[in-house]
Amino acid sequence: MNLLNNELLDSFIQIQKALYSLMKEDADRAGLTVVQLKALYKIRLTPELGLRELAGGLKLTNSTMSGVVDRLVAHELLERHTSSADRRAITLKLTKKGEEKLQEATGNNSFFTKKIMELTDMPQEDKDHLLRIHHQVLDVLTTKEENQE
């Protein structure tokens, strides 16, 4: 069996590509990149988020995230604030323009949102079954071998 031509692996890749394509359509329509869209969304969900936490949440390096944030600040979509808890720490907050841009990308015209809503309309039994299988797959993929060196 050719491991790189595996039907299961191919299925995961196709789903990942489809999700990315939907996000890209929304981001493009709003004049953003997918990473910028994800950053704005994450910051809206977690106000006062720091750069390091944002980078970790998006699985990016701090330096990559710093460049993304610099561009979002330059376009007046984000503001940097000094943390009230630690004056050395900088937190990020969406501006009014950033909120509007995020709404433009994720609002009623969002392809991604429409498709995710279709998935949430699946019968509960199907969703439970799918999630159970996903947990099994994640468990297999993330469990380290004991004898691995």
Side-chain angles (χ1 to χ4, degrees), residues 68-104:
V68 171
V69 166
D70 287 346
R71 286 184 286 286
L72 290 171
V73 168
H75 287 98
E76 300 176 345
L77 302 176
L78 278 185
E79 293 175 340
R80 291 181 177 100
H81 290 276
T82 304
S83 170
S84 55
D86 179 355
R87 301 190 83 198
R88 296 168 296 170
I90 301 295
T91 59
L92 304 167
K93 183 180 181 205
L94 267 66
T95 62
K96 182 171 175 26
K97 186 176 174 182
E99 288 281 357
E100 291 167 357
K101 185 63 78 171
L102 185 58
Q103 181 60 34
E104 180 184 341

PDB file of all heavy atoms in Angstrom, residues 68-104:
ATOM      1  N   VAL A  68       2.308  40.103  10.613  1.00  0.00           N
ATOM      2  CA  VAL A  68       0.872  40.162  10.332  1.00  0.00           C
ATOM      3  C   VAL A  68       0.230  41.284  11.145  1.00  0.00           C
ATOM      4  O   VAL A  68      -0.544  42.098  10.624  1.00  0.00           O
ATOM      5  CB  VAL A  68       0.195  38.797  10.638  1.00  0.00           C
ATOM      6  CG1 VAL A  68      -1.321  38.906  10.564  1.00  0.00           C
ATOM      7  CG2 VAL A  68       0.706  37.715   9.691  1.00  0.00           C
ATOM      8  N   VAL A  69       0.567  41.341  12.426  1.00  0.00           N
ATOM      9  CA  VAL A  69       0.008  42.374  13.308  1.00  0.00           C
ATOM     10  C   VAL A  69       0.455  43.760  12.845  1.00  0.00           C
ATOM     11  O   VAL A  69      -0.361  44.695  12.807  1.00  0.00           O
ATOM     12  CB  VAL A  69       0.399  42.109  14.783  1.00  0.00           C
ATOM     13  CG1 VAL A  69       0.135  43.332  15.651  1.00  0.00           C
ATOM     14  CG2 VAL A  69      -0.347  40.887  15.310  1.00  0.00           C
ATOM     15  N   ASP A  70       1.721  43.906  12.464  1.00  0.00           N
ATOM     16  CA  ASP A  70       2.212  45.209  11.959  1.00  0.00           C
ATOM     17  C   ASP A  70       1.361  45.684  10.782  1.00  0.00           C
ATOM     18  O   ASP A  70       0.990  46.862  10.710  1.00  0.00           O
ATOM     19  CB  ASP A  70       3.674  45.121  11.523  1.00  0.00           C
ATOM     20  CG  ASP A  70       4.647  45.035  12.678  1.00  0.00           C
ATOM     21  OD1 ASP A  70       4.242  45.311  13.836  1.00  0.00           O
ATOM     22  OD2 ASP A  70       5.817  44.691  12.427  1.00  0.00           O
ATOM     23  N   ARG A  71       1.044  44.789   9.851  1.00  0.00           N
ATOM     24  CA  ARG A  71       0.244  45.164   8.686  1.00  0.00           C
ATOM     25  C   ARG A  71      -1.194  45.520   9.088  1.00  0.00           C
ATOM     26  O   ARG A  71      -1.780  46.463   8.558  1.00  0.00           O
ATOM     27  CB  ARG A  71       0.265  44.057   7.633  1.00  0.00           C
ATOM     28  CG  ARG A  71       1.614  44.010   6.892  1.00  0.00           C
ATOM     29  CD  ARG A  71       1.653  43.001   5.768  1.00  0.00           C
ATOM     30  NE  ARG A  71       1.745  41.614   6.210  1.00  0.00           N
ATOM     31  CZ  ARG A  71       2.833  41.031   6.701  1.00  0.00           C
ATOM     32  NH1 ARG A  71       3.941  41.725   6.861  1.00  0.00           N
ATOM     33  NH2 ARG A  71       2.819  39.765   7.050  1.00  0.00           N
ATOM     34  N   LEU A  72      -1.763  44.759  10.044  1.00  0.00           N
ATOM     35  CA  LEU A  72      -3.122  45.058  10.503  1.00  0.00           C
ATOM     36  C   LEU A  72      -3.171  46.400  11.240  1.00  0.00           C
ATOM     37  O   LEU A  72      -4.148  47.147  11.098  1.00  0.00           O
ATOM     38  CB  LEU A  72      -3.646  43.923  11.389  1.00  0.00           C
ATOM     39  CG  LEU A  72      -3.938  42.612  10.659  1.00  0.00           C
ATOM     40  CD1 LEU A  72      -4.227  41.494  11.655  1.00  0.00           C
ATOM     41  CD2 LEU A  72      -5.095  42.774   9.678  1.00  0.00           C
ATOM     42  N   VAL A  73      -2.131  46.719  11.998  1.00  0.00           N
ATOM     43  CA  VAL A  73      -2.043  48.018  12.681  1.00  0.00           C
ATOM     44  C   VAL A  73      -1.896  49.129  11.641  1.00  0.00           C
ATOM     45  O   VAL A  73      -2.567  50.169  11.720  1.00  0.00           O
ATOM     46  CB  VAL A  73      -0.878  48.041  13.703  1.00  0.00           C
ATOM     47  CG1 VAL A  73      -0.600  49.451  14.193  1.00  0.00           C
ATOM     48  CG2 VAL A  73      -1.186  47.115  14.880  1.00  0.00           C
ATOM     49  N   ALA A  74      -1.056  48.913  10.640  1.00  0.00           N
ATOM     50  CA  ALA A  74      -0.841  49.921   9.586  1.00  0.00           C
ATOM     51  C   ALA A  74      -2.135  50.215   8.821  1.00  0.00           C
ATOM     52  O   ALA A  74      -2.352  51.351   8.379  1.00  0.00           O
ATOM     53  CB  ALA A  74       0.251  49.455   8.620  1.00  0.00           C
ATOM     54  N   HIS A  75      -2.987  49.197   8.675  1.00  0.00           N
ATOM     55  CA  HIS A  75      -4.280  49.382   7.993  1.00  0.00           C
ATOM     56  C   HIS A  75      -5.388  49.823   8.953  1.00  0.00           C
ATOM     57  O   HIS A  75      -6.563  49.825   8.594  1.00  0.00           O
ATOM     58  CB  HIS A  75      -4.677  48.095   7.262  1.00  0.00           C
ATOM     59  CG  HIS A  75      -3.867  47.845   6.038  1.00  0.00           C
ATOM     60  ND1 HIS A  75      -2.786  46.988   6.014  1.00  0.00           N
ATOM     61  CD2 HIS A  75      -3.951  48.368   4.791  1.00  0.00           C
ATOM     62  CE1 HIS A  75      -2.258  46.975   4.816  1.00  0.00           C
ATOM     63  NE2 HIS A  75      -2.946  47.816   4.048  1.00  0.00           N
ATOM     64  N   GLU A  76      -4.988  50.147  10.190  1.00  0.00           N
ATOM     65  CA  GLU A  76      -5.891  50.653  11.228  1.00  0.00           C
ATOM     66  C   GLU A  76      -7.005  49.663  11.572  1.00  0.00           C
ATOM     67  O   GLU A  76      -8.120  50.053  11.933  1.00  0.00           O
ATOM     68  CB  GLU A  76      -6.481  52.006  10.817  1.00  0.00           C
ATOM     69  CG  GLU A  76      -5.418  53.061  10.598  1.00  0.00           C
ATOM     70  CD  GLU A  76      -5.983  54.370  10.095  1.00  0.00           C
ATOM     71  OE1 GLU A  76      -7.140  54.414   9.641  1.00  0.00           O
ATOM     72  OE2 GLU A  76      -5.239  55.369  10.167  1.00  0.00           O
ATOM     73  N   LEU A  77      -6.693  48.365  11.492  1.00  0.00           N
ATOM     74  CA  LEU A  77      -7.652  47.320  11.860  1.00  0.00           C
ATOM     75  C   LEU A  77      -7.423  46.832  13.284  1.00  0.00           C
ATOM     76  O   LEU A  77      -8.322  46.258  13.901  1.00  0.00           O
ATOM     77  CB  LEU A  77      -7.576  46.153  10.875  1.00  0.00           C
ATOM     78  CG  LEU A  77      -7.832  46.521   9.408  1.00  0.00           C
ATOM     79  CD1 LEU A  77      -7.634  45.301   8.517  1.00  0.00           C
ATOM     80  CD2 LEU A  77      -9.208  47.126   9.223  1.00  0.00           C
ATOM     81  N   LEU A  78      -6.211  47.041  13.791  1.00  0.00           N
ATOM     82  CA  LEU A  78      -5.834  46.657  15.152  1.00  0.00           C
ATOM     83  C   LEU A  78      -5.142  47.812  15.844  1.00  0.00           C
ATOM     84  O   LEU A  78      -4.529  48.652  15.195  1.00  0.00           O
ATOM     85  CB  LEU A  78      -4.822  45.498  15.128  1.00  0.00           C
ATOM     86  CG  LEU A  78      -5.268  44.080  14.961  1.00  0.00           C
ATOM     87  CD1 LEU A  78      -4.073  43.146  15.089  1.00  0.00           C
ATOM     88  CD2 LEU A  78      -6.344  43.695  15.927  1.00  0.00           C
ATOM     89  N   GLU A  79      -5.213  47.784  17.181  1.00  0.00           N
ATOM     90  CA  GLU A  79      -4.442  48.707  18.010  1.00  0.00           C
ATOM     91  C   GLU A  79      -3.647  47.891  19.007  1.00  0.00           C
ATOM     92  O   GLU A  79      -4.113  46.849  19.472  1.00  0.00           O
ATOM     93  CB  GLU A  79      -5.373  49.637  18.794  1.00  0.00           C
ATOM     94  CG  GLU A  79      -6.154  50.600  17.957  1.00  0.00           C
ATOM     95  CD  GLU A  79      -7.144  51.411  18.791  1.00  0.00           C
ATOM     96  OE1 GLU A  79      -7.494  50.979  19.918  1.00  0.00           O
ATOM     97  OE2 GLU A  79      -7.574  52.460  18.304  1.00  0.00           O
ATOM     98  N   ARG A  80      -2.462  48.391  19.320  1.00  0.00           N
ATOM     99  CA  ARG A  80      -1.661  47.801  20.388  1.00  0.00           C
ATOM    100  C   ARG A  80      -1.915  48.615  21.654  1.00  0.00           C
ATOM    101  O   ARG A  80      -1.958  49.838  21.600  1.00  0.00           O
ATOM    102  CB  ARG A  80      -0.176  47.845  20.050  1.00  0.00           C
ATOM    103  CG  ARG A  80       0.237  46.944  18.914  1.00  0.00           C
ATOM    104  CD  ARG A  80       1.749  47.061  18.705  1.00  0.00           C
ATOM    105  NE  ARG A  80       2.222  46.175  17.688  1.00  0.00           N
ATOM    106  CZ  ARG A  80       2.481  46.541  16.432  1.00  0.00           C
ATOM    107  NH1 ARG A  80       2.309  47.783  16.064  1.00  0.00           N
ATOM    108  NH2 ARG A  80       2.924  45.673  15.563  1.00  0.00           N
ATOM    109  N   HIS A  81      -2.072  47.926  22.776  1.00  0.00           N
ATOM    110  CA  HIS A  81      -2.286  48.600  24.063  1.00  0.00           C
ATOM    111  C   HIS A  81      -1.320  48.020  25.080  1.00  0.00           C
ATOM    112  O   HIS A  81      -0.990  46.837  25.026  1.00  0.00           O
ATOM    113  CB  HIS A  81      -3.718  48.375  24.569  1.00  0.00           C
ATOM    114  CG  HIS A  81      -4.741  49.092  23.760  1.00  0.00           C
ATOM    115  ND1 HIS A  81      -5.056  50.397  23.971  1.00  0.00           N
ATOM    116  CD2 HIS A  81      -5.520  48.674  22.730  1.00  0.00           C
ATOM    117  CE1 HIS A  81      -5.998  50.761  23.107  1.00  0.00           C
ATOM    118  NE2 HIS A  81      -6.287  49.739  22.346  1.00  0.00           N
ATOM    119  N   THR A  82      -0.924  48.845  26.037  1.00  0.00           N
ATOM    120  CA  THR A  82      -0.135  48.359  27.157  1.00  0.00           C
ATOM    121  C   THR A  82      -1.079  47.642  28.105  1.00  0.00           C
ATOM    122  O   THR A  82      -2.145  48.148  28.441  1.00  0.00           O
ATOM    123  CB  THR A  82       0.556  49.531  27.895  1.00  0.00           C
ATOM    124  OG1 THR A  82       1.338  50.252  26.942  1.00  0.00           O
ATOM    125  CG2 THR A  82       1.451  49.024  29.005  1.00  0.00           C
ATOM    126  N   SER A  83      -0.696  46.452  28.510  1.00  0.00           N
ATOM    127  CA  SER A  83      -1.528  45.648  29.400  1.00  0.00           C
ATOM    128  C   SER A  83      -1.657  46.318  30.760  1.00  0.00           C
ATOM    129  O   SER A  83      -0.686  46.843  31.304  1.00  0.00           O
ATOM    130  CB  SER A  83      -0.905  44.256  29.574  1.00  0.00           C
ATOM    131  OG  SER A  83      -1.553  43.553  30.603  1.00  0.00           O
ATOM    132  N   SER A  84      -2.864  46.273  31.303  1.00  0.00           N
ATOM    133  CA  SER A  84      -3.069  46.837  32.642  1.00  0.00           C
ATOM    134  C   SER A  84      -2.429  45.936  33.700  1.00  0.00           C
ATOM    135  O   SER A  84      -2.039  46.394  34.762  1.00  0.00           O
ATOM    136  CB  SER A  84      -4.558  47.008  32.917  1.00  0.00           C
ATOM    137  OG  SER A  84      -5.231  45.787  32.730  1.00  0.00           O
ATOM    138  N   ALA A  85      -2.289  44.652  33.402  1.00  0.00           N
ATOM    139  CA  ALA A  85      -1.706  43.705  34.353  1.00  0.00           C
ATOM    140  C   ALA A  85      -0.173  43.768  34.361  1.00  0.00           C
ATOM    141  O   ALA A  85       0.457  43.595  35.399  1.00  0.00           O
ATOM    142  CB  ALA A  85      -2.163  42.291  34.035  1.00  0.00           C
ATOM    143  N   ASP A  86       0.429  44.010  33.191  1.00  0.00           N
ATOM    144  CA  ASP A  86       1.890  44.041  33.070  1.00  0.00           C
ATOM    145  C   ASP A  86       2.242  45.138  32.073  1.00  0.00           C
ATOM    146  O   ASP A  86       2.032  44.969  30.873  1.00  0.00           O
ATOM    147  CB  ASP A  86       2.391  42.667  32.596  1.00  0.00           C
ATOM    148  CG  ASP A  86       3.901  42.616  32.428  1.00  0.00           C
ATOM    149  OD1 ASP A  86       4.580  43.665  32.575  1.00  0.00           O
ATOM    150  OD2 ASP A  86       4.412  41.523  32.132  1.00  0.00           O
ATOM    151  N   ARG A  87       2.783  46.230  32.546  1.00  0.00           N
ATOM    152  CA  ARG A  87       3.048  47.386  31.689  1.00  0.00           C
ATOM    153  C   ARG A  87       4.060  47.086  30.588  1.00  0.00           C
ATOM    154  O   ARG A  87       4.167  47.831  29.624  1.00  0.00           O
ATOM    155  CB  ARG A  87       3.516  48.562  32.540  1.00  0.00           C
ATOM    156  CG  ARG A  87       2.457  48.923  33.574  1.00  0.00           C
ATOM    157  CD  ARG A  87       2.761  50.187  34.263  1.00  0.00           C
ATOM    158  NE  ARG A  87       2.272  51.253  33.395  1.00  0.00           N
ATOM    159  CZ  ARG A  87       2.646  52.503  33.482  1.00  0.00           C
ATOM    160  NH1 ARG A  87       3.519  52.867  34.384  1.00  0.00           N
ATOM    161  NH2 ARG A  87       2.156  53.414  32.673  1.00  0.00           N
ATOM    162  N   ARG A  88       4.822  45.990  30.712  1.00  0.00           N
ATOM    163  CA  ARG A  88       5.776  45.608  29.656  1.00  0.00           C
ATOM    164  C   ARG A  88       5.086  44.845  28.537  1.00  0.00           C
ATOM    165  O   ARG A  88       5.611  44.756  27.430  1.00  0.00           O
ATOM    166  CB  ARG A  88       6.904  44.752  30.229  1.00  0.00           C
ATOM    167  CG  ARG A  88       7.768  45.474  31.253  1.00  0.00           C
ATOM    168  CD  ARG A  88       8.655  44.497  31.962  1.00  0.00           C
ATOM    169  NE  ARG A  88       7.804  43.564  32.712  1.00  0.00           N
ATOM    170  CZ  ARG A  88       8.212  42.466  33.298  1.00  0.00           C
ATOM    171  NH1 ARG A  88       9.457  42.117  33.249  1.00  0.00           N
ATOM    172  NH2 ARG A  88       7.369  41.695  33.962  1.00  0.00           N
ATOM    173  N   ALA A  89       3.914  44.285  28.830  1.00  0.00           N
ATOM    174  CA  ALA A  89       3.209  43.455  27.856  1.00  0.00           C
ATOM    175  C   ALA A  89       2.299  44.315  26.973  1.00  0.00           C
ATOM    176  O   ALA A  89       1.695  45.279  27.438  1.00  0.00           O
ATOM    177  CB  ALA A  89       2.388  42.393  28.569  1.00  0.00           C
ATOM    178  N   ILE A  90       2.224  43.939  25.718  1.00  0.00           N
ATOM    179  CA  ILE A  90       1.361  44.619  24.753  1.00  0.00           C
ATOM    180  C   ILE A  90       0.198  43.688  24.426  1.00  0.00           C
ATOM    181  O   ILE A  90       0.392  42.499  24.172  1.00  0.00           O
ATOM    182  CB  ILE A  90       2.138  44.949  23.454  1.00  0.00           C
ATOM    183  CG1 ILE A  90       3.337  45.837  23.740  1.00  0.00           C
ATOM    184  CG2 ILE A  90       1.222  45.567  22.410  1.00  0.00           C
ATOM    185  CD1 ILE A  90       2.991  47.213  24.248  1.00  0.00           C
ATOM    186  N   THR A  91      -1.012  44.238  24.466  1.00  0.00           N
ATOM    187  CA  THR A  91      -2.182  43.456  24.076  1.00  0.00           C
ATOM    188  C   THR A  91      -2.761  44.056  22.802  1.00  0.00           C
ATOM    189  O   THR A  91      -2.472  45.199  22.447  1.00  0.00           O
ATOM    190  CB  THR A  91      -3.255  43.434  25.188  1.00  0.00           C
ATOM    191  OG1 THR A  91      -3.645  44.767  25.477  1.00  0.00           O
ATOM    192  CG2 THR A  91      -2.716  42.754  26.442  1.00  0.00           C
ATOM    193  N   LEU A  92      -3.583  43.276  22.131  1.00  0.00           N
ATOM    194  CA  LEU A  92      -4.130  43.677  20.844  1.00  0.00           C
ATOM    195  C   LEU A  92      -5.644  43.834  20.944  1.00  0.00           C
ATOM    196  O   LEU A  92      -6.310  43.063  21.638  1.00  0.00           O
ATOM    197  CB  LEU A  92      -3.782  42.624  19.792  1.00  0.00           C
ATOM    198  CG  LEU A  92      -2.291  42.339  19.648  1.00  0.00           C
ATOM    199  CD1 LEU A  92      -2.047  41.083  18.846  1.00  0.00           C
ATOM    200  CD2 LEU A  92      -1.590  43.530  19.014  1.00  0.00           C
ATOM    201  N   LYS A  93      -6.157  44.829  20.241  1.00  0.00           N
ATOM    202  CA  LYS A  93      -7.590  45.091  20.252  1.00  0.00           C
ATOM    203  C   LYS A  93      -8.018  45.525  18.861  1.00  0.00           C
ATOM    204  O   LYS A  93      -7.312  46.290  18.201  1.00  0.00           O
ATOM    205  CB  LYS A  93      -7.909  46.178  21.275  1.00  0.00           C
ATOM    206  CG  LYS A  93      -9.367  46.471  21.407  1.00  0.00           C
ATOM    207  CD  LYS A  93      -9.625  47.546  22.440  1.00  0.00           C
ATOM    208  CE  LYS A  93     -11.118  47.770  22.529  1.00  0.00           C
ATOM    209  NZ  LYS A  93     -11.458  49.075  22.996  1.00  0.00           N
ATOM    210  N   LEU A  94      -9.186  45.040  18.421  1.00  0.00           N
ATOM    211  CA  LEU A  94      -9.716  45.475  17.143  1.00  0.00           C
ATOM    212  C   LEU A  94     -10.164  46.923  17.230  1.00  0.00           C
ATOM    213  O   LEU A  94     -10.716  47.349  18.243  1.00  0.00           O
ATOM    214  CB  LEU A  94     -10.928  44.618  16.743  1.00  0.00           C
ATOM    215  CG  LEU A  94     -10.670  43.403  15.867  1.00  0.00           C
ATOM    216  CD1 LEU A  94      -9.849  42.372  16.592  1.00  0.00           C
ATOM    217  CD2 LEU A  94     -11.960  42.816  15.375  1.00  0.00           C
ATOM    218  N   THR A  95      -9.913  47.662  16.167  1.00  0.00           N
ATOM    219  CA  THR A  95     -10.454  49.013  16.063  1.00  0.00           C
ATOM    220  C   THR A  95     -11.876  48.908  15.521  1.00  0.00           C
ATOM    221  O   THR A  95     -12.324  47.821  15.112  1.00  0.00           O
ATOM    222  CB  THR A  95      -9.621  49.860  15.080  1.00  0.00           C
ATOM    223  OG1 THR A  95      -9.699  49.245  13.781  1.00  0.00           O
ATOM    224  CG2 THR A  95      -8.170  49.973  15.526  1.00  0.00           C
ATOM    225  N   LYS A  96     -12.576  50.022  15.463  1.00  0.00           N
ATOM    226  CA  LYS A  96     -13.918  50.033  14.863  1.00  0.00           C
ATOM    227  C   LYS A  96     -13.817  49.578  13.409  1.00  0.00           C
ATOM    228  O   LYS A  96     -14.624  48.778  12.943  1.00  0.00           O
ATOM    229  CB  LYS A  96     -14.523  51.428  14.962  1.00  0.00           C
ATOM    230  CG  LYS A  96     -15.934  51.531  14.419  1.00  0.00           C
ATOM    231  CD  LYS A  96     -16.543  52.878  14.743  1.00  0.00           C
ATOM    232  CE  LYS A  96     -17.894  53.142  14.147  1.00  0.00           C
ATOM    233  NZ  LYS A  96     -18.753  52.074  13.832  1.00  0.00           N
ATOM    234  N   LYS A  97     -12.802  50.066  12.720  1.00  0.00           N
ATOM    235  CA  LYS A  97     -12.575  49.664  11.319  1.00  0.00           C
ATOM    236  C   LYS A  97     -12.282  48.161  11.230  1.00  0.00           C
ATOM    237  O   LYS A  97     -12.732  47.480  10.309  1.00  0.00           O
ATOM    238  CB  LYS A  97     -11.414  50.489  10.741  1.00  0.00           C
ATOM    239  CG  LYS A  97     -11.169  50.279   9.280  1.00  0.00           C
ATOM    240  CD  LYS A  97     -10.065  51.218   8.784  1.00  0.00           C
ATOM    241  CE  LYS A  97      -9.698  50.935   7.348  1.00  0.00           C
ATOM    242  NZ  LYS A  97      -8.612  51.807   6.873  1.00  0.00           N
ATOM    243  N   GLY A  98     -11.538  47.637  12.214  1.00  0.00           N
ATOM    244  CA  GLY A  98     -11.245  46.204  12.254  1.00  0.00           C
ATOM    245  C   GLY A  98     -12.506  45.379  12.477  1.00  0.00           C
ATOM    246  O   GLY A  98     -12.692  44.328  11.861  1.00  0.00           O
ATOM    247  N   GLU A  99     -13.374  45.851  13.374  1.00  0.00           N
ATOM    248  CA  GLU A  99     -14.662  45.177  13.608  1.00  0.00           C
ATOM    249  C   GLU A  99     -15.495  45.154  12.333  1.00  0.00           C
ATOM    250  O   GLU A  99     -16.089  44.129  11.989  1.00  0.00           O
ATOM    251  CB  GLU A  99     -15.452  45.882  14.725  1.00  0.00           C
ATOM    252  CG  GLU A  99     -14.909  45.689  16.111  1.00  0.00           C
ATOM    253  CD  GLU A  99     -15.271  44.335  16.726  1.00  0.00           C
ATOM    254  OE1 GLU A  99     -15.996  43.536  16.107  1.00  0.00           O
ATOM    255  OE2 GLU A  99     -14.791  44.093  17.842  1.00  0.00           O
ATOM    256  N   GLU A 100     -15.529  46.283  11.638  1.00  0.00           N
ATOM    257  CA  GLU A 100     -16.294  46.363  10.387  1.00  0.00           C
ATOM    258  C   GLU A 100     -15.723  45.427   9.327  1.00  0.00           C
ATOM    259  O   GLU A 100     -16.463  44.754   8.609  1.00  0.00           O
ATOM    260  CB  GLU A 100     -16.313  47.808   9.877  1.00  0.00           C
ATOM    261  CG  GLU A 100     -17.130  48.737  10.755  1.00  0.00           C
ATOM    262  CD  GLU A 100     -16.911  50.220  10.450  1.00  0.00           C
ATOM    263  OE1 GLU A 100     -16.059  50.553   9.579  1.00  0.00           O
ATOM    264  OE2 GLU A 100     -17.578  51.053  11.100  1.00  0.00           O
ATOM    265  N   LYS A 101     -14.401  45.382   9.233  1.00  0.00           N
ATOM    266  CA  LYS A 101     -13.745  44.510   8.244  1.00  0.00           C
ATOM    267  C   LYS A 101     -14.019  43.048   8.554  1.00  0.00           C
ATOM    268  O   LYS A 101     -14.302  42.249   7.660  1.00  0.00           O
ATOM    269  CB  LYS A 101     -12.235  44.795   8.242  1.00  0.00           C
ATOM    270  CG  LYS A 101     -11.450  44.063   7.189  1.00  0.00           C
ATOM    271  CD  LYS A 101     -11.837  44.422   5.792  1.00  0.00           C
ATOM    272  CE  LYS A 101     -11.275  45.724   5.338  1.00  0.00           C
ATOM    273  NZ  LYS A 101     -11.488  45.950   3.880  1.00  0.00           N
ATOM    274  N   LEU A 102     -13.974  42.696   9.840  1.00  0.00           N
ATOM    275  CA  LEU A 102     -14.262  41.322  10.244  1.00  0.00           C
ATOM    276  C   LEU A 102     -15.713  40.969   9.938  1.00  0.00           C
ATOM    277  O   LEU A 102     -16.003  39.877   9.442  1.00  0.00           O
ATOM    278  CB  LEU A 102     -13.951  41.131  11.734  1.00  0.00           C
ATOM    279  CG  LEU A 102     -14.086  39.721  12.271  1.00  0.00           C
ATOM    280  CD1 LEU A 102     -13.190  38.740  11.510  1.00  0.00           C
ATOM    281  CD2 LEU A 102     -13.738  39.692  13.752  1.00  0.00           C
ATOM    282  N   GLN A 103     -16.621  41.896  10.200  1.00  0.00           N
ATOM    283  CA  GLN A 103     -18.036  41.662   9.889  1.00  0.00           C
ATOM    284  C   GLN A 103     -18.240  41.495   8.391  1.00  0.00           C
ATOM    285  O   GLN A 103     -19.012  40.643   7.949  1.00  0.00           O
ATOM    286  CB  GLN A 103     -18.893  42.818  10.432  1.00  0.00           C
ATOM    287  CG  GLN A 103     -20.382  42.647  10.188  1.00  0.00           C
ATOM    288  CD  GLN A 103     -20.955  41.391  10.827  1.00  0.00           C
ATOM    289  OE1 GLN A 103     -20.534  40.959  11.890  1.00  0.00           O
ATOM    290  NE2 GLN A 103     -21.910  40.783  10.154  1.00  0.00           N
ATOM    291  N   GLU A 104     -17.506  42.286   7.606  1.00  0.00           N
ATOM    292  CA  GLU A 104     -17.585  42.178   6.149  1.00  0.00           C
ATOM    293  C   GLU A 104     -17.182  40.774   5.693  1.00  0.00           C
ATOM    294  O   GLU A 104     -17.792  40.195   4.794  1.00  0.00           O
ATOM    295  CB  GLU A 104     -16.655  43.226   5.519  1.00  0.00           C
ATOM    296  CG  GLU A 104     -16.615  43.235   4.016  1.00  0.00           C
ATOM    297  CD  GLU A 104     -15.596  44.233   3.475  1.00  0.00           C
ATOM    298  OE1 GLU A 104     -15.184  45.161   4.206  1.00  0.00           O
ATOM    299  OE2 GLU A 104     -15.201  44.070   2.305  1.00  0.00           O
TER     300      GLU A 104
END
